[in-house]
Amino acid sequence: MAEENDQAEPELEREEDVYALNRQAVARIIYAVDVADQAQLLRELSELHVADIADLLEQINAFDRRRLIELYSSEFDGDILSELDEALRQEVIGLLPPDVLAGAVRDLDSDDVVDLVEDLEDHEQEAILSALEAGDRIAVQQSLTYPEYSAGRLMQREVVMAPEHWNVGEAIDFLRNQEDLPEQFYHIILVDPKLRPVGNITLGKLMAARREVLLSDLVEETFHVFPVAQDEEDVAYAFNQYHLISAPVVDENERLVGVITIDDAMAVLDEEHEEDILRLAGVGEGSLSDRVIDTTRQRLPWLAVNLVTAILASLVIAQFEAAITQLVALAVLMPIVASMGGNAGTQSLTVAVRAIATKDLTGSNVWRFIRREVLVGLVNGVIFAVVMGLVGVMWFGGPELGYVIGAAMVINLVVAGLAGTVIPVILDRIGIDPALASGAFVTTVTDVVGFFAFLGLAAAVLL
Amino acid sequence: MAEENDQAEPELEREEDVYALNRQAVARIIYAVDVADQAQLLRELSELHVADIADLLEQINAFDRRRLIELYSSEFDGDILSELDEALRQEVIGLLPPDVLAGAVRDLDSDDVVDLVEDLEDHEQEAILSALEAGDRIAVQQSLTYPEYSAGRLMQREVVMAPEHWNVGEAIDFLRNQEDLPEQFYHIILVDPKLRPVGNITLGKLMAARREVLLSDLVEETFHVFPVAQDEEDVAYAFNQYHLISAPVVDENERLVGVITIDDAMAVLDEEHEEDILRLAGVGEGSLSDRVIDTTRQRLPWLAVNLVTAILASLVIAQFEAAITQLVALAVLMPIVASMGGNAGTQSLTVAVRAIATKDLTGSNVWRFIRREVLVGLVNGVIFAVVMGLVGVMWFGGPELGYVIGAAMVINLVVAGLAGTVIPVILDRIGIDPALASGAFVTTVTDVVGFFAFLGLAAAVLL
């Protein structure tokens, strides 16, 4: 079966991909599903990490997915749901028998349960919440009251804390006597009598210190506390910027309510990246496993915006119909000026969007940045003006067309540098994600200016 | 001074940016530099995290930077160098007095020193290495023998390990008696007699267990070992995929040589993403603080490639000069078809590049993905064909032009879906980064096909 597949379709996978799912293993798993060999399926899947099982479910088709889950549901681990792409979660949750689903979610940390239920319909949410123990359920419901994409949603409520007056010996004895410590924790959070976090102590330091040393003498230098309502994007930025490993989250009264760990912050950073890169290309939220109809719907709005801007550019061209009829070379050359401007604008824009996202572009350097991009546009414009001038002369003879296209190129590349920086900065300032909207504005500007400068100069100079 | 600045230039900073450098603070710092008030400067900078001081140095101009470092060099922390953009490191290192530089690097972890010296010129590298103690110097030199962007460069050599036969009590006593444990560590790595890592134990588990429990009973379920030569991109992927916090690195004999922690993996993930997003836009490696000449040089090659593809498209148009002369509406409408194709192609391409980077696009689903993108192109093509057909009729009267532009739209959007998926997959397969090169190929295809389909059909049908 596997070999048949390999022969039918040329191999498009790179050999060196150490972590991508092995195609042969996937083929063996699909074969086990085809022949309903449960023992073989369980054996194959027991070799895989839950994150890889989630990837597998995303990469196979819906029919195989349904049959696989039927055979596998007895062993289904809740962490697979956490790792699964949101687009598929609902489908997979619907395929799991209620008792399997209940068992699967019961072992999850509170942050993972929150992540799981927040996008579900009410009745599905209810089904999952009712499977939890009362204490966990209340914790999850509490987390769901915090705004979406906030620190409160991201944090786990299982925290390890100690009063600030304790010494190392007291802390160690306390940890020894705890029934269930969180699966993973890296710091003990020191709190004052009002439960406000005052410091972080790494377990390594705690372990190496003598029993009589005060905890307050061991706190880390870098200590960040996040309010529950803080945007998760800012949380991820702070983790990356300050090399945090875990950090406490506090409510409006500054009381400790949870802790965020770096692996969750890393996942947010990754998602934010994904969002930026897709938005820059005019692609909405989506997943590889979406159907044609869903993907079409995501892509359509952006193409519609582009159609409007393209028609706008065409209206500019239409003003110069007479000139084009007289000199058809204008029609041949005009896309070059617009295309170069669009590319240069996209370059400036992408650097600006990225710098805004990483907070490298601030009030202190924004004017210097805009000036630089305009100057870069000018220098590149002059270089390509000379090149295109020569091309114009060689292609169509006579220097005039060369002068015109060169001048239009300089104008458009300078405008590209200006539009590519000012537009994202202004959008960010008025609270619109520059990754989402800048592209359409910038290419509209470079198209319109490109056609207008070239055709207008040509009409004035040549005809 | 600060207020003058604020009045002279409109404020382009967003209020909510909690972590971006505060513009007022930057103004106060620059003022302290202007009046050479060292005490005030030290006071202001003592409020900032080293990562923020590095950002500050990146955001001010070269003149202020030089004066600031002169005043600040007595307090200069080596970690600032680690946090600094590579483009600026060499400049800042050159500004530091040799003894300050030596003191600054002596406190760094070995992985940070490696990161610092790997891009320096030989004599600067020598200056830094000679500041280190003999043991550290040898460790750094050893790391430099590993390939660039490998696990070996990323790891720190300071590891905490224990023999596999130890129990909890022995491990704790060992930690207590260690003179200098690493600043940050989260796991004890269990090794066999040949120093091969066999498991990870979290400090939390160690702390909560009784003294007589065997370490081997406490090892984590998820355990990943990286070979020194492994690409750092794959290491970062594994950290994110498997929620690793720290992981051992082994040499060719599978002996433990170092450990990678998640904060370094997170930084790599961030850099890889930066690279992808900039490459997709045709922007080379660079920094906001680069000079005009450097930035121009980075942008030029991509614009040159774009000029060639734009000229190629113009050559297609040139074949239809006669048709355009007869019907100038063709010149007005033709950029629309090309532009829509370019946008749709970029959408497919970006999804493909991202899916390849996250290893979500593999041999198991690549054909289904290509099929989906082509179908999405077909559906969107039909929708916009109808829209443009109507626009054509209303704008230029008569249905024929509408038919032609509609048909060209369908053809170009289908081709865009195909080119936008197949091109990055093939580039990846032959070992070229699809983020770097796909854009030029895809837009060449959509431009050429767009102009050819529209003008060719028009020439055949209308004239």
Side-chain angles (χ1 to χ4, degrees):
Chain A
M1 178 80 192
E3 280 181 5
E4 268 174 35
N5 266 341
D6 276 356
Q7 280 168 5
E9 297 169 347
E11 180 67 76
L12 285 179
E13 207 170 358
R14 278 177 68 185
E15 302 277 322
E16 315 102 87
D17 258 349
V18 267
Y19 291 111
L21 278 176
N22 181 296
R23 195 179 172 172
Q24 276 71 42
V26 174
R28 281 198 306 274
I29 289 167
I30 297 300
Y31 179 72
V33 170
D34 277 337
V35 300
D37 183 347
Q38 189 171 34
Q40 175 64 19
L41 177 68
L42 295 184
R43 234 184 342 264
E44 290 284 348
L45 292 182
S46 72
E47 299 284 308
L48 295 181
H49 188 277
V50 286
D52 292 328
I53 297 179
D55 282 354
L56 171 74
L57 289 173
E58 288 164 15
Q59 287 175 25
I60 63 182
N61 65 43
F63 176 64
D64 290 341
R65 195 152 52 226
R66 190 163 50 75
R67 295 185 303 161
L68 187 153
I69 288 171
E70 268 168 31
L71 287 170
Y72 185 59
S73 70
S74 62
E75 298 289 316
F76 199 90
D77 186 323
D79 284 316
I80 298 173
L81 290 175
S82 304
E83 301 289 344
L84 213 53
D85 204 284
E86 277 173 36
L88 270 190
R89 263 189 209 160
Q90 213 150 340
E91 177 190 328
V92 171
I93 286 175
L95 292 173
L96 291 172
D99 58 315
V100 171
L101 182 60
V105 294
R106 216 170 287 140
D107 293 331
L108 294 177
D109 281 336
S110 62
D111 57 332
D112 291 328
V113 179
V114 170
D115 188 38
L116 204 60
V117 300
E118 60 187 358
D119 299 313
L120 294 181
E121 316 255 327
D122 279 353
H123 69 278
E124 289 172 317
Q125 210 174 74
E126 202 41 59
I128 288 187
L129 289 177
S130 64
L132 298 175
E133 288 166 31
D136 291 340
R137 184 168 59 242
I138 292 166
V140 170
Q141 281 167 332
Q142 172 75 45
S143 289
L144 287 172
T145 63
Y146 301 126
E148 253 195 301
Y149 309 114
S150 69
R153 293 279 182 109
L154 196 62
M155 72 187 185
Q156 60 182 56
R157 302 180 74 90
E158 296 84 358
V159 293
V160 180
M161 54 181 166
E164 51 184 339
H165 59 79
W166 274 11
N167 65 25
V168 169
E170 287 171 297
I172 289 178
D173 293 343
F174 165 77
L175 290 177
R176 287 261 163 78
N177 294 322
Q178 280 296 83
E179 279 292 300
D180 50 25
L181 288 168
E183 260 299 289
Q184 302 271 345
F185 71 105
Y186 314 101
H187 292 106
I188 292 185
I189 301 167
L190 227 53
V191 292
D192 72 7
K194 289 186 165 160
L195 273 186
R196 291 180 299 210
V198 294
N200 251 350
I201 295 160
T202 66
L203 296 182
K205 283 230 179 86
L206 185 69
M207 205 144 232
R210 279 168 299 114
R211 285 185 64 92
E212 61 274 18
V213 173
L214 280 176
L215 291 184
S216 51
D217 291 337
L218 296 178
V219 294
E220 291 292 285
E221 221 178 290
T222 303
F223 180 57
H224 272 260
V225 175
F226 298 103
V228 276
Q230 184 146 50
D231 199 82
E232 63 173 18
E233 188 174 354
D234 287 326
V235 172
Y237 175 82
F239 266 84
N240 194 25
Q241 172 85 343
Y242 304 119
H243 303 278
L244 309 178
I245 297 296
S246 77
V249 179
V250 297
D251 65 14
E252 2 4 300
N253 304 315
E254 292 175 38
R255 280 165 49 110
L256 179 64
V257 288
V259 63
I260 294 174
T261 49
I262 184 174
D263 55 325
D264 293 320
M266 191 177 186
V268 171
L269 192 80
D270 198 41
E271 282 162 26
E272 294 292 334
H273 285 164
E274 170 124 1
E275 202 179 270
D276 273 0
I277 210 166
L278 293 181
R279 283 183 169 183
L280 273 173
V283 185
E285 300 258 322
S287 138
L288 274 201
S289 48
D290 285 345
R291 289 167 309 160
V292 171
I293 179 78
D294 298 318
T295 306
T296 304
R297 211 181 289 140
Q298 288 151 17
R299 308 274 173 88
L300 199 104
W302 188 256
L303 291 176
V305 169
N306 182 61
L307 183 63
V308 173
T309 78
I311 289 176
L312 215 64
S314 291
L315 288 172
V316 174
I317 300 172
Q319 306 311 307
F320 299 97
E321 283 189 358
I324 293 171
T325 314
Q326 276 185 268
L327 188 62
V328 73
L330 299 182
V332 174
L333 290 173
M334 67 184 185
I336 296 177
V337 178
S339 160
M340 292 296 280
N343 265 268
T346 303
Q347 289 181 332
S348 295
L349 155 68
T350 305
V351 172
V353 165
R354 175 71 191 166
I356 290 169
T358 57
K359 304 182 199 299
D360 289 332
L361 191 60
T362 66
S364 311
N365 61 351
V366 64
W367 293 104
R368 209 161 57 245
F369 173 64
I370 293 172
R371 193 166 61 228
R372 185 191 76 173
E373 293 296 312
V374 170
L375 284 174
V376 169
L378 181 65
V379 177
N380 273 329
V382 170
I383 292 170
F384 287 106
V386 172
V387 174
M388 269 318 292
L390 293 175
V391 170
V393 171
M394 288 188 298
W395 196 350
F396 295 96
E400 291 84 3
L401 200 58
Y403 294 152
V404 166
I405 196 166
M409 189 77 88
V410 173
I411 293 170
N412 208 20
L413 261 61
V414 168
V415 168
L418 192 66
T421 49
V422 170
I423 288 173
V425 167
I426 289 177
L427 287 174
D428 178 57
R429 220 209 136 183
I430 61 178
I432 296 172
D433 182 351
L436 190 61
S438 300
F441 286 111
V442 172
T443 51
T444 304
V445 170
T446 54
D447 274 359
V448 166
V449 170
F451 289 129
F452 188 81
F454 177 60
L455 296 175
L457 280 173
V461 174
L462 300 179
L463 305 175
Chain B
M1 181 76 188
E3 282 180 6
E4 270 175 30
N5 266 340
D6 277 353
Q7 279 167 6
E9 297 168 348
E11 178 69 70
L12 285 180
E13 207 169 357
R14 278 179 68 184
E15 304 275 322
E16 315 103 88
D17 255 350
V18 267
Y19 292 110
L21 278 175
N22 180 296
R23 195 179 171 169
Q24 276 71 44
V26 174
R28 283 197 306 274
I29 290 166
I30 297 300
Y31 180 73
V33 170
D34 276 337
V35 301
D37 183 347
Q38 190 172 33
Q40 175 65 18
L41 178 68
L42 294 184
R43 233 183 344 266
E44 290 284 349
L45 293 183
S46 71
E47 300 284 308
L48 295 181
H49 187 277
V50 287
D52 291 328
I53 297 179
D55 282 354
L56 172 75
L57 289 173
E58 288 164 15
Q59 288 175 25
I60 63 182
N61 65 42
F63 177 64
D64 290 340
R65 195 152 53 225
R66 189 161 52 76
R67 294 185 303 162
L68 188 152
I69 288 172
E70 268 169 29
L71 288 169
Y72 185 59
S73 69
S74 61
E75 298 289 317
F76 199 90
D77 187 323
D79 285 316
I80 298 173
L81 291 176
S82 303
E83 301 289 345
L84 214 53
D85 203 285
E86 277 173 35
L88 270 190
R89 262 188 210 161
Q90 213 150 342
E91 178 189 328
V92 172
I93 287 175
L95 293 172
L96 292 172
D99 57 316
V100 171
L101 183 60
V105 294
R106 216 170 288 139
D107 293 331
L108 294 176
D109 280 337
S110 61
D111 57 332
D112 291 328
V113 179
V114 170
D115 188 38
L116 204 60
V117 300
E118 60 188 358
D119 299 313
L120 295 180
E121 316 254 326
D122 278 353
H123 69 278
E124 289 172 316
Q125 212 176 71
E126 201 41 58
I128 287 187
L129 289 178
S130 63
L132 298 174
E133 287 166 32
D136 292 340
R137 184 167 60 241
I138 291 166
V140 170
Q141 281 167 332
Q142 172 75 47
S143 289
L144 287 172
T145 64
Y146 301 126
E148 253 194 300
Y149 309 114
S150 68
R153 293 278 182 108
L154 197 62
M155 72 185 185
Q156 59 181 60
R157 302 181 74 91
E158 296 84 359
V159 293
V160 180
M161 54 181 166
E164 53 185 337
H165 59 79
W166 273 11
N167 65 26
V168 169
E170 287 171 298
I172 290 178
D173 293 341
F174 165 77
L175 290 177
R176 288 260 163 77
N177 293 322
Q178 279 298 83
E179 280 292 299
D180 50 23
L181 287 168
E183 259 301 290
Q184 303 271 346
F185 71 105
Y186 313 100
H187 291 108
I188 292 185
I189 301 168
L190 228 53
V191 291
D192 72 8
K194 288 187 164 160
L195 273 184
R196 289 180 299 209
V198 294
N200 250 350
I201 295 160
T202 66
L203 295 182
K205 283 231 180 85
L206 185 70
M207 204 146 233
R210 280 168 298 115
R211 287 185 63 91
E212 61 275 18
V213 172
L214 279 177
L215 292 184
S216 51
D217 291 337
L218 296 177
V219 293
E220 291 292 285
E221 218 178 293
T222 302
F223 180 58
H224 271 261
V225 175
F226 298 104
V228 276
Q230 184 146 49
D231 200 79
E232 62 173 18
E233 189 174 351
D234 287 325
V235 172
Y237 174 82
F239 267 84
N240 194 26
Q241 173 85 343
Y242 304 120
H243 303 279
L244 309 178
I245 296 297
S246 77
V249 179
V250 295
D251 64 14
E252 357 10 298
N253 304 316
E254 291 173 39
R255 281 165 51 110
L256 178 65
V257 289
V259 64
I260 294 174
T261 49
I262 185 175
D263 55 325
D264 293 320
M266 192 178 186
V268 171
L269 192 79
D270 198 41
E271 283 162 27
E272 291 293 334
H273 173 75
E274 169 126 0
E275 202 180 271
D276 272 0
I277 210 168
L278 294 180
R279 283 183 169 182
L280 273 172
V283 185
E285 300 258 321
S287 141
L288 278 198
S289 48
D290 284 345
R291 290 166 309 159
V292 171
I293 178 77
D294 297 318
T295 306
T296 305
R297 211 180 292 139
Q298 288 151 18
R299 307 274 173 87
L300 199 103
W302 188 256
L303 292 175
V305 169
N306 182 61
L307 183 63
V308 173
T309 77
I311 289 176
L312 214 63
S314 292
L315 287 173
V316 173
I317 300 171
Q319 306 311 306
F320 299 96
E321 284 189 357
I324 293 171
T325 314
Q326 276 186 266
L327 187 62
V328 72
L330 298 182
V332 173
L333 292 173
M334 66 182 185
I336 297 178
V337 179
S339 160
M340 291 296 280
N343 265 268
T346 304
Q347 289 180 331
S348 296
L349 157 68
T350 306
V351 172
V353 166
R354 175 71 192 167
I356 289 169
T358 58
K359 306 185 200 298
D360 289 332
L361 192 60
T362 65
S364 311
N365 61 350
V366 63
W367 293 105
R368 209 160 57 244
F369 173 65
I370 293 172
R371 192 166 61 226
R372 185 191 76 174
E373 293 297 311
V374 169
L375 284 174
V376 168
L378 181 64
V379 176
N380 273 328
V382 170
I383 292 170
F384 287 107
V386 172
V387 174
M388 269 318 294
L390 293 174
V391 170
V393 171
M394 290 186 298
W395 196 351
F396 295 96
E400 290 82 4
L401 200 57
Y403 294 153
V404 166
I405 197 166
M409 190 79 88
V410 173
I411 291 170
N412 208 19
L413 261 62
V414 168
V415 168
L418 192 66
T421 48
V422 170
I423 288 174
V425 168
I426 288 176
L427 287 175
D428 177 56
R429 224 212 132 181
I430 61 178
I432 296 172
D433 182 352
L436 189 61
S438 300
F441 285 112
V442 172
T443 51
T444 304
V445 169
T446 54
D447 274 0
V448 166
V449 170
F451 290 130
F452 188 81
F454 177 60
L455 297 175
L457 280 174
V461 173
L462 300 179
L463 306 176

